[in-house]
Amino acid sequence: AEAPRLAAAALGSYATYASEVLHPVEVSAADEAHLVKWLSKRLGTAIRPPDLAAEGFRLIGGRLLPGDTSPAALLMYEDDLGRRLALYVTRSEGQETEMAFAEEPGAQAFWWVDGNLGCALAGDLPRDQLRRLAISAYHGLTEV
């Protein structure tokens, strides 16, 4: 039951914040050190924004969100065309999962549970491109 909620939370957060012109994030990427420290402290585990620049997306910032069982972090990315991605990260006590796909009108998400983190990358991109970005996000969050 946790996994579908994870995808739904990511898709809902994407729908809410990706279209925001002035306030898509609370803390901009210009203050990334503060953003990482703040979100890691609130989630109770170290996270770092994955570098998706090789795929054409740069971090624009992030925000804290309520989650089902703990706070959640939302990291927002944007490409040169103005397309946005939302990476939703929260603590998870669930069983580790393979990457899975979810969609709703206007957006898709790839989600997974790894260790103590539940994650989902949401956006309105072709499925194969979003999958490549989700794999990069997964590696960026979990590899040192």
Side-chain angles (χ1 to χ4, degrees), residues 14 18-20 56-58 60 76-85 125:
Y14 171 80
S19 62
E20 282 290 322
F57 284 84
R58 69 189 177 288
I60 60 171
M76 187 76 64
Y77 293 82
E78 186 174 67
D79 71 2
D80 290 339
L81 300 174
R83 298 179 301 179
R84 291 185 173 165
L85 297 171
L125 297 173

Side-chain angles (χ1 to χ4, degrees), residues 39-116:
L39 293 176
S40 294
K41 180 179 179 181
R42 293 303 310 269
L43 266 64
T45 191
I47 65 165
R48 63 186 166 120
D51 182 358
L52 302 179
E55 290 84 13
F57 284 84
R58 69 189 177 288
L59 180 70
I60 60 171
R63 66 174 56 245
L64 185 68
L65 299 173
D68 283 343
T69 58
S70 75
L74 186 72
L75 301 170
M76 187 76 64
Y77 293 82
E78 186 174 67
D79 71 2
D80 290 339
L81 300 174
R83 298 179 301 179
R84 291 185 173 165
L85 297 171
L87 179 60
Y88 183 92
V89 182
T90 191
R91 299 269 311 190
S92 175
E93 304 303 326
Q95 206 168 5
E96 290 192 7
T97 65
E98 296 290 324
M99 196 168 283
F101 181 73
E103 65 183 323
E104 59 184 37
Q108 306 83 43
F110 279 93
W111 59 266
W112 63 95
V113 176
D114 184 57
N116 64 348

